[in-house]
Amino acid sequence: MDKLYSLYYVLELAGTFAFAISGATAARKRKLDIFGICAIAFVVACGGGILRDLCIGALPPAGLTNWHYLVVALIATALTVGFFSLVQRLNHPVLFFDAIGLSLFAVTGAQKSLAYGYNGEVAVLLGITTAVGGGVIRDILLTRVPIILEKEIYALAALLGALIVVIGDHFKWGSGGWVAIAALTVCFTLRILALRYHWDLPTPGKNDTGSEKHN
Amino acid sequence: MDKLYSLYYVLELAGTFAFAISGATAARKRKLDIFGICAIAFVVACGGGILRDLCIGALPPAGLTNWHYLVVALIATALTVGFFSLVQRLNHPVLFFDAIGLSLFAVTGAQKSLAYGYNGEVAVLLGITTAVGGGVIRDILLTRVPIILEKEIYALAALLGALIVVIGDHFKWGSGGWVAIAALTVCFTLRILALRYHWDLPTPGKNDTGSEKHN
Amino acid sequence: MDKLYSLYYVLELAGTFAFAISGATAARKRKLDIFGICAIAFVVACGGGILRDLCIGALPPAGLTNWHYLVVALIATALTVGFFSLVQRLNHPVLFFDAIGLSLFAVTGAQKSLAYGYNGEVAVLLGITTAVGGGVIRDILLTRVPIILEKEIYALAALLGALIVVIGDHFKWGSGGWVAIAALTVCFTLRILALRYHWDLPTPGKNDTGSEKHN
């Protein structure tokens, strides 16, 4: 299991890297200054985990104590700013790593909540929070409706991943390692398929006339 | 007191239901997908309580651990989406339940803070937070200035309700039950009267010319 | 050191006062009602410290338990609303006190994190959070991109102040008092110089054509 853990850690840093690139790219497009770009990149990469740690009482949040995450986020930012036109062309690889980050954060978020002794509902909700929280904070800071609420199968993939972890834990299926790998695979595959085939969740009222007022 | 507690619990679920309807309605109007509608409904219903629990250290927050709230929020969402034109016509009943939710969350928020041993200021501030926090997060996610900051006597009613709980607790007026009922009544009545007679708080500078720049 | 502590406390209340004025001014310009103005003023003054206390587990947050902060914020609000045209002309004094608040909150935020036994990275990140968190929440509630992410050397000054505290603590330089005074001086001076000479951080892509789409 030690090898699996090391693999986890490397993949989690890869996910952090991808999330930070997505944050830095969005901030760069909004013409924030260099501090703002670093801040948004760090928030996307670590914000979800910080929210989770606040909710389970793992204080101070790991995203603040472990400098690896901060350094990875800053390196990702430097590369994004330095090679911006390249990063924009690399949209596909970035989405690929983003899907890895999504899967890993959903699974590790659910696992950490269970490890702290909380029930399955908490683990599923905080698995989703870990995976999508950073992106939601990014969109709030950039004053746009969080994209995960508007379209794309994104949070749903995280939900499935976290759910598999919780079900596997409940029924004590084999070693946790295999359940985690299954959860990662399902979440990652669903996300990649949704990207490839443009799967969206239904949007009630999409065909309404524009005459409704926002309330 | 056990009957009173059960009544509380039923009313709190009714408030959760009403808050979730208001969240689902707002999200539906903004054309979020079905996941986004569920997420906003849940956040409006449970967000205030989650903020309160983070502040008093009641971890993990009750909104995450008790599946009743989640299920009630999802049922409210399903009904809102399924019978949307009906729900829009039912604006008055929804506002009625919303006022119930506001009162109950203000009172139970203040009570829970006192029960955790915190002082009156904390109890009043967290009573307000419990009552209006979900609505504020909803408005942040939908990128609009929180409506409770712009107009309507809403948070003020919650403040009064929480304040009565704190004063009653300080002077040990009779059993907590009667104080709570008084607090609920005052908060609910003030909110309903404000709705009925369109009472607004004063808005300094309302008559300024539009030439001021936002800063 | 007791005199120093009292001085600290007075200066911290002065910073709270200045932050509350900046919040009340922004809310007044957006035509919020009187409750909304009080709420924004309180959030700007205490929001950063509340976020810090949530992260280090100092519950309930000091901003909620110590009524001095609330009263100072409400007095600042009353003065801002009552003498609005005067406050607008007093922009320079307000920015002066705001710089004092920024420096003090950065230094005390870092010190409190260290006092709770956390490492240097946590202390620096939470020093920044304490100093700029309130302003970020203000901008989120007013649905604008946080100004500190877009321009001006503001968070960077807070970062330097917090960093000096952490370095001084690490190397046990003399008494903590002198280190704190050095940190305050550097942070305050950098902020005032940045205001005076309009120093901005570089904004990558500032000269891009407007044809890029937000993503």
Side-chain angles (χ1 to χ4, degrees), chain B residues 54-55 57 118-119 121-122 140 144-146 149-151 155 201-205 208 214-215, chain C residues 28-36 54 59-61 64-67 70 81 140-141 143-144:
Chain B
L54 287 177
C55 285
Y118 299 127
N119 66 29
E121 187 194 336
V122 175
I140 289 174
R144 54 190 193 190
V145 175
L149 300 178
E150 282 190 312
K151 52 176 190 156
L201 287 174
T203 302
D208 292 358
H214 290 171
N215 182 19
Chain C
R28 165 73 171 64
K29 286 185 180 171
R30 285 294 270 270
K31 315 242 184 294
L32 302 193
D33 71 18
I34 189 67
F35 174 83
L54 287 178
L59 299 180
L64 298 180
T65 46
N66 187 334
W67 58 269
L70 181 60
V81 170
I140 289 174
L141 290 174
T143 65
R144 55 191 192 187

mmCIF file of all heavy atoms in Angstrom, chain B residues 54-55 57 118-119 121-122 140 144-146 149-151 155 201-205 208 214-215, chain C residues 28-36 54 59-61 64-67 70 81 140-141 143-144:
data_model
loop_
_atom_site.group_PDB
_atom_site.id
_atom_site.type_symbol
_atom_site.label_atom_id
_atom_site.label_comp_id
_atom_site.label_asym_id
_atom_site.label_seq_id
_atom_site.Cartn_x
_atom_site.Cartn_y
_atom_site.Cartn_z
ATOM 1 N N LEU B 54 -19.636 25.891 11.632
ATOM 2 C CA LEU B 54 -18.197 26.125 11.483
ATOM 3 C C LEU B 54 -17.712 27.104 12.546
ATOM 4 O O LEU B 54 -16.648 26.918 13.141
ATOM 5 C CB LEU B 54 -17.880 26.680 10.090
ATOM 6 C CG LEU B 54 -17.971 25.712 8.909
ATOM 7 C CD1 LEU B 54 -17.686 26.446 7.604
ATOM 8 C CD2 LEU B 54 -16.992 24.555 9.072
ATOM 9 N N CYS B 55 -18.515 28.149 12.824
ATOM 10 C CA CYS B 55 -18.093 29.185 13.766
ATOM 11 C C CYS B 55 -18.123 28.720 15.216
ATOM 12 O O CYS B 55 -17.317 29.164 16.034
ATOM 13 C CB CYS B 55 -18.960 30.437 13.621
ATOM 14 S SG CYS B 55 -18.567 31.403 12.158
ATOM 15 N N GLY B 57 -17.796 25.528 16.063
ATOM 16 C CA GLY B 57 -17.021 24.299 16.202
ATOM 17 C C GLY B 57 -17.869 23.051 16.372
ATOM 18 O O GLY B 57 -17.402 22.058 16.925
ATOM 19 N N TYR B 118 -21.415 30.020 24.291
ATOM 20 C CA TYR B 118 -20.897 31.300 23.827
ATOM 21 C C TYR B 118 -21.768 32.441 24.321
ATOM 22 O O TYR B 118 -22.894 32.243 24.754
ATOM 23 C CB TYR B 118 -20.785 31.293 22.304
ATOM 24 C CG TYR B 118 -19.838 30.232 21.838
ATOM 25 C CD1 TYR B 118 -20.216 29.298 20.886
ATOM 26 C CD2 TYR B 118 -18.558 30.129 22.389
ATOM 27 C CE1 TYR B 118 -19.345 28.299 20.478
ATOM 28 C CE2 TYR B 118 -17.681 29.138 21.989
ATOM 29 C CZ TYR B 118 -18.078 28.231 21.035
ATOM 30 O OH TYR B 118 -17.214 27.248 20.650
ATOM 31 N N ASN B 119 -21.225 33.670 24.227
ATOM 32 C CA ASN B 119 -21.927 34.812 24.806
ATOM 33 C C ASN B 119 -23.040 35.337 23.891
ATOM 34 O O ASN B 119 -23.255 34.838 22.784
ATOM 35 C CB ASN B 119 -20.931 35.924 25.164
ATOM 36 C CG ASN B 119 -20.269 36.538 23.937
ATOM 37 O OD1 ASN B 119 -20.843 36.579 22.859
ATOM 38 N ND2 ASN B 119 -19.050 37.017 24.115
ATOM 39 N N GLU B 121 -23.472 38.135 22.224
ATOM 40 C CA GLU B 121 -23.167 38.734 20.923
ATOM 41 C C GLU B 121 -23.004 37.654 19.863
ATOM 42 O O GLU B 121 -23.529 37.770 18.760
ATOM 43 C CB GLU B 121 -21.893 39.586 21.001
ATOM 44 C CG GLU B 121 -21.663 40.349 19.711
ATOM 45 C CD GLU B 121 -20.263 40.931 19.594
ATOM 46 O OE1 GLU B 121 -19.619 41.149 20.625
ATOM 47 O OE2 GLU B 121 -19.833 41.146 18.445
ATOM 48 N N VAL B 122 -22.251 36.590 20.222
ATOM 49 C CA VAL B 122 -22.069 35.490 19.284
ATOM 50 C C VAL B 122 -23.426 34.907 18.898
ATOM 51 O O VAL B 122 -23.698 34.631 17.722
ATOM 52 C CB VAL B 122 -21.176 34.388 19.915
ATOM 53 C CG1 VAL B 122 -21.072 33.194 18.995
ATOM 54 C CG2 VAL B 122 -19.795 34.937 20.232
ATOM 55 N N ILE B 140 -24.555 35.060 -3.917
ATOM 56 C CA ILE B 140 -23.156 35.108 -4.351
ATOM 57 C C ILE B 140 -22.947 34.163 -5.530
ATOM 58 O O ILE B 140 -22.331 34.516 -6.533
ATOM 59 C CB ILE B 140 -22.214 34.727 -3.188
ATOM 60 C CG1 ILE B 140 -22.195 35.841 -2.139
ATOM 61 C CG2 ILE B 140 -20.808 34.454 -3.694
ATOM 62 C CD1 ILE B 140 -21.410 35.491 -0.894
ATOM 63 N N ARG B 144 -25.185 38.045 -7.835
ATOM 64 C CA ARG B 144 -25.958 39.266 -7.667
ATOM 65 C C ARG B 144 -25.742 39.756 -6.240
ATOM 66 O O ARG B 144 -25.431 38.963 -5.341
ATOM 67 C CB ARG B 144 -27.438 39.003 -7.941
ATOM 68 C CG ARG B 144 -28.001 37.872 -7.136
ATOM 69 C CD ARG B 144 -29.402 37.508 -7.619
ATOM 70 N NE ARG B 144 -30.056 36.629 -6.664
ATOM 71 C CZ ARG B 144 -31.201 36.002 -6.900
ATOM 72 N NH1 ARG B 144 -31.821 36.159 -8.041
ATOM 73 N NH2 ARG B 144 -31.731 35.225 -5.985
ATOM 74 N N VAL B 145 -25.891 41.059 -6.027
ATOM 75 C CA VAL B 145 -25.739 41.590 -4.682
ATOM 76 C C VAL B 145 -26.833 40.972 -3.810
ATOM 77 O O VAL B 145 -28.003 40.988 -4.187
ATOM 78 C CB VAL B 145 -25.858 43.119 -4.679
ATOM 79 C CG1 VAL B 145 -25.820 43.661 -3.265
ATOM 80 C CG2 VAL B 145 -24.728 43.730 -5.498
ATOM 81 N N PRO B 146 -26.453 40.386 -2.660
ATOM 82 C CA PRO B 146 -27.456 39.735 -1.817
ATOM 83 C C PRO B 146 -28.658 40.640 -1.577
ATOM 84 O O PRO B 146 -28.511 41.776 -1.134
ATOM 85 C CB PRO B 146 -26.692 39.433 -0.525
ATOM 86 C CG PRO B 146 -25.291 39.251 -0.973
ATOM 87 C CD PRO B 146 -25.109 40.219 -2.112
ATOM 88 N N LEU B 149 -29.253 42.666 1.518
ATOM 89 C CA LEU B 149 -28.467 43.864 1.792
ATOM 90 C C LEU B 149 -29.056 45.081 1.086
ATOM 91 O O LEU B 149 -28.723 46.214 1.417
ATOM 92 C CB LEU B 149 -27.024 43.670 1.320
ATOM 93 C CG LEU B 149 -26.260 42.516 1.961
ATOM 94 C CD1 LEU B 149 -24.864 42.412 1.374
ATOM 95 C CD2 LEU B 149 -26.179 42.681 3.466
ATOM 96 N N GLU B 150 -29.926 44.845 0.132
ATOM 97 C CA GLU B 150 -30.414 45.957 -0.685
ATOM 98 C C GLU B 150 -31.753 46.494 -0.210
ATOM 99 O O GLU B 150 -32.006 47.682 -0.258
ATOM 100 C CB GLU B 150 -30.523 45.524 -2.141
ATOM 101 C CG GLU B 150 -29.181 45.509 -2.840
ATOM 102 C CD GLU B 150 -29.340 45.328 -4.325
ATOM 103 O OE1 GLU B 150 -30.097 44.420 -4.733
ATOM 104 O OE2 GLU B 150 -28.726 46.066 -5.078
ATOM 105 N N LYS B 151 -32.634 45.583 0.198
ATOM 106 C CA LYS B 151 -33.936 46.076 0.608
ATOM 107 C C LYS B 151 -34.651 45.032 1.455
ATOM 108 O O LYS B 151 -34.135 43.953 1.674
ATOM 109 C CB LYS B 151 -34.782 46.439 -0.612
ATOM 110 C CG LYS B 151 -34.874 45.324 -1.630
ATOM 111 C CD LYS B 151 -35.792 45.680 -2.774
ATOM 112 C CE LYS B 151 -36.035 44.449 -3.617
ATOM 113 N NZ LYS B 151 -37.244 44.464 -4.392
ATOM 114 N N ALA B 155 -33.243 40.510 7.459
ATOM 115 C CA ALA B 155 -32.243 40.217 8.482
ATOM 116 C C ALA B 155 -32.604 40.897 9.803
ATOM 117 O O ALA B 155 -32.314 40.372 10.879
ATOM 118 C CB ALA B 155 -30.861 40.661 8.018
ATOM 119 N N LEU B 201 -36.108 49.213 4.891
ATOM 120 C CA LEU B 201 -35.236 50.030 5.707
ATOM 121 C C LEU B 201 -34.802 51.233 4.884
ATOM 122 O O LEU B 201 -34.796 51.192 3.656
ATOM 123 C CB LEU B 201 -33.997 49.228 6.128
ATOM 124 C CG LEU B 201 -34.262 48.168 7.183
ATOM 125 C CD1 LEU B 201 -33.016 47.349 7.411
ATOM 126 C CD2 LEU B 201 -34.704 48.823 8.484
ATOM 127 N N PRO B 202 -34.443 52.335 5.545
ATOM 128 C CA PRO B 202 -33.979 53.498 4.779
ATOM 129 C C PRO B 202 -32.718 53.157 3.982
ATOM 130 O O PRO B 202 -31.888 52.362 4.428
ATOM 131 C CB PRO B 202 -33.680 54.545 5.858
ATOM 132 C CG PRO B 202 -33.749 53.851 7.166
ATOM 133 C CD PRO B 202 -34.480 52.568 6.990
ATOM 134 N N THR B 203 -32.628 53.744 2.805
ATOM 135 C CA THR B 203 -31.457 53.564 1.956
ATOM 136 C C THR B 203 -30.773 54.915 1.798
ATOM 137 O O THR B 203 -31.209 55.740 1.002
ATOM 138 C CB THR B 203 -31.865 53.042 0.567
ATOM 139 O OG1 THR B 203 -32.554 51.819 0.734
ATOM 140 C CG2 THR B 203 -30.655 52.842 -0.319
ATOM 141 N N PRO B 204 -29.691 55.160 2.580
ATOM 142 C CA PRO B 204 -29.030 56.458 2.460
ATOM 143 C C PRO B 204 -28.545 56.650 1.029
ATOM 144 O O PRO B 204 -28.009 55.730 0.423
ATOM 145 C CB PRO B 204 -27.832 56.342 3.416
ATOM 146 C CG PRO B 204 -28.132 55.175 4.285
ATOM 147 C CD PRO B 204 -29.008 54.260 3.505
ATOM 148 N N GLY B 205 -28.756 57.837 0.496
ATOM 149 C CA GLY B 205 -28.232 58.135 -0.835
ATOM 150 C C GLY B 205 -29.114 57.634 -1.956
ATOM 151 O O GLY B 205 -28.706 57.640 -3.107
ATOM 152 N N ASP B 208 -29.550 60.168 -4.580
ATOM 153 C CA ASP B 208 -28.384 60.764 -5.230
ATOM 154 C C ASP B 208 -28.541 60.662 -6.731
ATOM 155 O O ASP B 208 -29.212 59.782 -7.250
ATOM 156 C CB ASP B 208 -27.105 59.996 -4.846
ATOM 157 C CG ASP B 208 -26.763 60.197 -3.384
ATOM 158 O OD1 ASP B 208 -27.491 60.942 -2.716
ATOM 159 O OD2 ASP B 208 -25.789 59.584 -2.918
ATOM 160 N N HIS B 214 -19.019 53.876 -8.971
ATOM 161 C CA HIS B 214 -18.711 52.833 -8.003
ATOM 162 C C HIS B 214 -17.231 52.857 -7.769
ATOM 163 O O HIS B 214 -16.451 53.088 -8.670
ATOM 164 C CB HIS B 214 -19.098 51.456 -8.549
ATOM 165 C CG HIS B 214 -20.573 51.275 -8.630
ATOM 166 N ND1 HIS B 214 -21.154 50.207 -9.242
ATOM 167 C CD2 HIS B 214 -21.568 52.058 -8.181
ATOM 168 C CE1 HIS B 214 -22.462 50.342 -9.166
ATOM 169 N NE2 HIS B 214 -22.728 51.443 -8.529
ATOM 170 N N ASN B 215 -16.858 52.601 -6.542
ATOM 171 C CA ASN B 215 -15.438 52.583 -6.230
ATOM 172 C C ASN B 215 -15.032 51.167 -5.885
ATOM 173 O O ASN B 215 -15.340 50.701 -4.800
ATOM 174 C CB ASN B 215 -15.175 53.487 -5.037
ATOM 175 C CG ASN B 215 -13.724 53.533 -4.726
ATOM 176 O OD1 ASN B 215 -12.909 53.181 -5.586
ATOM 177 N ND2 ASN B 215 -13.391 53.957 -3.530
ATOM 178 N N ARG C 28 -22.509 52.192 0.668
ATOM 179 C CA ARG C 28 -23.342 53.380 0.478
ATOM 180 C C ARG C 28 -23.431 53.774 -0.993
ATOM 181 O O ARG C 28 -24.490 54.159 -1.492
ATOM 182 C CB ARG C 28 -22.750 54.506 1.325
ATOM 183 C CG ARG C 28 -23.196 55.909 1.056
ATOM 184 C CD ARG C 28 -24.588 56.182 1.536
ATOM 185 N NE ARG C 28 -24.881 57.616 1.443
ATOM 186 C CZ ARG C 28 -24.936 58.297 0.299
ATOM 187 N NH1 ARG C 28 -24.730 57.709 -0.833
ATOM 188 N NH2 ARG C 28 -25.222 59.589 0.320
ATOM 189 N N LYS C 29 -22.312 53.624 -1.690
ATOM 190 C CA LYS C 29 -22.293 53.970 -3.116
ATOM 191 C C LYS C 29 -23.136 52.999 -3.938
ATOM 192 O O LYS C 29 -23.625 53.369 -5.006
ATOM 193 C CB LYS C 29 -20.850 53.961 -3.642
ATOM 194 C CG LYS C 29 -20.042 55.151 -3.170
ATOM 195 C CD LYS C 29 -18.670 55.163 -3.815
ATOM 196 C CE LYS C 29 -17.868 56.362 -3.338
ATOM 197 N NZ LYS C 29 -16.465 56.293 -3.780
ATOM 198 N N ARG C 30 -23.267 51.754 -3.448
ATOM 199 C CA ARG C 30 -24.070 50.778 -4.170
ATOM 200 C C ARG C 30 -25.528 50.832 -3.766
ATOM 201 O O ARG C 30 -26.319 49.977 -4.147
ATOM 202 C CB ARG C 30 -23.536 49.356 -3.940
ATOM 203 C CG ARG C 30 -22.278 49.081 -4.691
ATOM 204 C CD ARG C 30 -22.468 49.082 -6.189
ATOM 205 N NE ARG C 30 -22.807 47.783 -6.712
ATOM 206 C CZ ARG C 30 -21.920 46.889 -7.111
ATOM 207 N NH1 ARG C 30 -20.655 47.169 -7.097
ATOM 208 N NH2 ARG C 30 -22.293 45.717 -7.569
ATOM 209 N N LYS C 31 -25.890 51.820 -2.949
ATOM 210 C CA LYS C 31 -27.277 52.047 -2.559
ATOM 211 C C LYS C 31 -27.884 50.869 -1.804
ATOM 212 O O LYS C 31 -29.039 50.513 -1.992
ATOM 213 C CB LYS C 31 -28.155 52.370 -3.776
ATOM 214 C CG LYS C 31 -27.546 53.372 -4.736
ATOM 215 C CD LYS C 31 -28.397 54.604 -4.839
ATOM 216 C CE LYS C 31 -27.834 55.568 -5.877
ATOM 217 N NZ LYS C 31 -26.499 56.106 -5.433
ATOM 218 N N LEU C 32 -27.064 50.241 -0.938
ATOM 219 C CA LEU C 32 -27.629 49.238 -0.040
ATOM 220 C C LEU C 32 -28.436 49.952 1.033
ATOM 221 O O LEU C 32 -28.249 51.140 1.301
ATOM 222 C CB LEU C 32 -26.519 48.415 0.603
ATOM 223 C CG LEU C 32 -25.584 47.688 -0.348
ATOM 224 C CD1 LEU C 32 -24.752 46.667 0.405
ATOM 225 C CD2 LEU C 32 -26.338 47.005 -1.476
ATOM 226 N N ASP C 33 -29.343 49.213 1.691
ATOM 227 C CA ASP C 33 -30.089 49.826 2.790
ATOM 228 C C ASP C 33 -29.202 49.877 4.039
ATOM 229 O O ASP C 33 -28.064 49.403 4.040
ATOM 230 C CB ASP C 33 -31.421 49.108 3.035
ATOM 231 C CG ASP C 33 -31.248 47.726 3.643
ATOM 232 O OD1 ASP C 33 -30.182 47.417 4.194
ATOM 233 O OD2 ASP C 33 -32.190 46.934 3.553
ATOM 234 N N ILE C 34 -29.721 50.480 5.107
ATOM 235 C CA ILE C 34 -28.877 50.755 6.265
ATOM 236 C C ILE C 34 -28.357 49.465 6.901
ATOM 237 O O ILE C 34 -27.211 49.396 7.375
ATOM 238 C CB ILE C 34 -29.631 51.649 7.297
ATOM 239 C CG1 ILE C 34 -28.698 52.128 8.390
ATOM 240 C CG2 ILE C 34 -30.843 50.952 7.855
ATOM 241 C CD1 ILE C 34 -27.637 53.088 7.879
ATOM 242 N N PHE C 35 -29.176 48.399 6.882
ATOM 243 C CA PHE C 35 -28.678 47.125 7.394
ATOM 244 C C PHE C 35 -27.528 46.602 6.537
ATOM 245 O O PHE C 35 -26.512 46.129 7.051
ATOM 246 C CB PHE C 35 -29.794 46.077 7.454
ATOM 247 C CG PHE C 35 -29.273 44.730 7.845
ATOM 248 C CD1 PHE C 35 -29.075 44.406 9.173
ATOM 249 C CD2 PHE C 35 -28.920 43.798 6.880
ATOM 250 C CE1 PHE C 35 -28.551 43.179 9.531
ATOM 251 C CE2 PHE C 35 -28.396 42.570 7.225
ATOM 252 C CZ PHE C 35 -28.212 42.263 8.553
ATOM 253 N N GLY C 36 -27.706 46.685 5.208
ATOM 254 C CA GLY C 36 -26.661 46.218 4.300
ATOM 255 C C GLY C 36 -25.354 46.967 4.509
ATOM 256 O O GLY C 36 -24.267 46.375 4.461
ATOM 257 N N LEU C 54 -11.225 30.655 11.879
ATOM 258 C CA LEU C 54 -11.784 29.380 11.432
ATOM 259 C C LEU C 54 -10.662 28.419 11.050
ATOM 260 O O LEU C 54 -10.710 27.227 11.358
ATOM 261 C CB LEU C 54 -12.716 29.586 10.231
ATOM 262 C CG LEU C 54 -14.068 30.234 10.508
ATOM 263 C CD1 LEU C 54 -14.842 30.414 9.201
ATOM 264 C CD2 LEU C 54 -14.896 29.378 11.473
ATOM 265 N N LEU C 59 -12.065 29.102 18.029
ATOM 266 C CA LEU C 59 -13.518 29.253 17.923
ATOM 267 C C LEU C 59 -14.121 29.671 19.250
ATOM 268 O O LEU C 59 -13.673 29.215 20.295
ATOM 269 C CB LEU C 59 -14.141 27.921 17.477
ATOM 270 C CG LEU C 59 -13.659 27.437 16.114
ATOM 271 C CD1 LEU C 59 -14.311 26.121 15.754
ATOM 272 C CD2 LEU C 59 -13.908 28.471 15.043
ATOM 273 N N PRO C 60 -15.181 30.469 19.272
ATOM 274 C CA PRO C 60 -15.674 31.149 18.076
ATOM 275 C C PRO C 60 -14.757 32.302 17.712
ATOM 276 O O PRO C 60 -14.027 32.792 18.585
ATOM 277 C CB PRO C 60 -17.036 31.664 18.521
ATOM 278 C CG PRO C 60 -16.905 31.874 19.974
ATOM 279 C CD PRO C 60 -15.930 30.858 20.468
ATOM 280 N N PRO C 61 -14.750 32.737 16.462
ATOM 281 C CA PRO C 61 -13.841 33.788 16.016
ATOM 282 C C PRO C 61 -13.922 35.035 16.896
ATOM 283 O O PRO C 61 -15.009 35.426 17.332
ATOM 284 C CB PRO C 61 -14.334 34.088 14.604
ATOM 285 C CG PRO C 61 -14.981 32.826 14.159
ATOM 286 C CD PRO C 61 -15.623 32.255 15.390
ATOM 287 N N LEU C 64 -16.431 37.780 16.453
ATOM 288 C CA LEU C 64 -17.816 37.568 16.890
ATOM 289 C C LEU C 64 -17.970 37.712 18.395
ATOM 290 O O LEU C 64 -19.051 38.043 18.883
ATOM 291 C CB LEU C 64 -18.305 36.170 16.478
ATOM 292 C CG LEU C 64 -18.350 35.867 14.985
ATOM 293 C CD1 LEU C 64 -18.865 34.446 14.762
ATOM 294 C CD2 LEU C 64 -19.237 36.853 14.245
ATOM 295 N N THR C 65 -16.901 37.440 19.163
ATOM 296 C CA THR C 65 -17.047 37.410 20.621
ATOM 297 C C THR C 65 -16.744 38.747 21.286
ATOM 298 O O THR C 65 -17.282 39.034 22.347
ATOM 299 C CB THR C 65 -16.097 36.373 21.249
ATOM 300 O OG1 THR C 65 -14.811 36.530 20.657
ATOM 301 C CG2 THR C 65 -16.599 34.973 21.014
ATOM 302 N N ASN C 66 -15.846 39.535 20.676
ATOM 303 C CA ASN C 66 -15.449 40.793 21.307
ATOM 304 C C ASN C 66 -16.303 41.923 20.746
ATOM 305 O O ASN C 66 -16.145 42.323 19.589
ATOM 306 C CB ASN C 66 -13.963 41.042 21.031
ATOM 307 C CG ASN C 66 -13.442 42.243 21.788
ATOM 308 O OD1 ASN C 66 -14.212 43.144 22.120
ATOM 309 N ND2 ASN C 66 -12.153 42.260 22.065
ATOM 310 N N TRP C 67 -17.181 42.459 21.582
ATOM 311 C CA TRP C 67 -18.122 43.448 21.081
ATOM 312 C C TRP C 67 -17.463 44.765 20.716
ATOM 313 O O TRP C 67 -18.060 45.587 20.034
ATOM 314 C CB TRP C 67 -19.262 43.666 22.069
ATOM 315 C CG TRP C 67 -18.826 44.119 23.431
ATOM 316 C CD1 TRP C 67 -18.535 43.322 24.491
ATOM 317 C CD2 TRP C 67 -18.622 45.462 23.871
ATOM 318 N NE1 TRP C 67 -18.153 44.082 25.566
ATOM 319 C CE2 TRP C 67 -18.200 45.399 25.222
ATOM 320 C CE3 TRP C 67 -18.750 46.708 23.275
ATOM 321 C CZ2 TRP C 67 -17.904 46.531 25.965
ATOM 322 C CZ3 TRP C 67 -18.447 47.847 24.011
ATOM 323 C CH2 TRP C 67 -18.031 47.747 25.342
ATOM 324 N N LEU C 70 -17.433 45.135 16.968
ATOM 325 C CA LEU C 70 -18.763 45.425 16.420
ATOM 326 C C LEU C 70 -19.136 46.879 16.650
ATOM 327 O O LEU C 70 -19.617 47.567 15.735
ATOM 328 C CB LEU C 70 -19.804 44.486 17.064
ATOM 329 C CG LEU C 70 -21.239 44.642 16.587
ATOM 330 C CD1 LEU C 70 -21.351 44.377 15.094
ATOM 331 C CD2 LEU C 70 -22.165 43.701 17.348
ATOM 332 N N VAL C 81 -22.245 57.305 7.086
ATOM 333 C CA VAL C 81 -23.545 57.605 6.505
ATOM 334 C C VAL C 81 -23.958 59.043 6.834
ATOM 335 O O VAL C 81 -24.465 59.772 5.980
ATOM 336 C CB VAL C 81 -24.596 56.604 7.020
ATOM 337 C CG1 VAL C 81 -26.000 57.042 6.625
ATOM 338 C CG2 VAL C 81 -24.296 55.219 6.477
ATOM 339 N N ILE C 140 -16.809 40.433 -3.060
ATOM 340 C CA ILE C 140 -17.669 39.325 -3.480
ATOM 341 C C ILE C 140 -19.135 39.698 -3.262
ATOM 342 O O ILE C 140 -19.980 39.507 -4.136
ATOM 343 C CB ILE C 140 -17.320 38.043 -2.696
ATOM 344 C CG1 ILE C 140 -15.957 37.504 -3.147
ATOM 345 C CG2 ILE C 140 -18.397 36.989 -2.869
ATOM 346 C CD1 ILE C 140 -15.461 36.332 -2.328
ATOM 347 N N LEU C 141 -19.447 40.271 -2.083
ATOM 348 C CA LEU C 141 -20.842 40.612 -1.788
ATOM 349 C C LEU C 141 -21.347 41.705 -2.723
ATOM 350 O O LEU C 141 -22.527 41.749 -3.051
ATOM 351 C CB LEU C 141 -20.989 41.066 -0.327
ATOM 352 C CG LEU C 141 -20.822 39.974 0.722
ATOM 353 C CD1 LEU C 141 -20.837 40.570 2.119
ATOM 354 C CD2 LEU C 141 -21.933 38.926 0.606
ATOM 355 N N THR C 143 -20.455 41.918 -5.741
ATOM 356 C CA THR C 143 -20.307 41.312 -7.084
ATOM 357 C C THR C 143 -19.334 42.078 -7.972
ATOM 358 O O THR C 143 -19.674 42.497 -9.064
ATOM 359 C CB THR C 143 -21.659 41.206 -7.831
ATOM 360 O OG1 THR C 143 -22.149 42.511 -8.093
ATOM 361 C CG2 THR C 143 -22.659 40.411 -7.050
ATOM 362 N N ARG C 144 -18.129 42.259 -7.482
ATOM 363 C CA ARG C 144 -17.076 42.772 -8.357
ATOM 364 C C ARG C 144 -15.817 41.956 -8.111
ATOM 365 O O ARG C 144 -15.636 41.391 -7.030
ATOM 366 C CB ARG C 144 -16.838 44.252 -8.090
ATOM 367 C CG ARG C 144 -16.521 44.567 -6.665
ATOM 368 C CD ARG C 144 -16.558 46.064 -6.416
ATOM 369 N NE ARG C 144 -15.990 46.377 -5.119
ATOM 370 C CZ ARG C 144 -16.020 47.597 -4.581
ATOM 371 N NH1 ARG C 144 -16.595 48.581 -5.223
ATOM 372 N NH2 ARG C 144 -15.487 47.818 -3.397
#
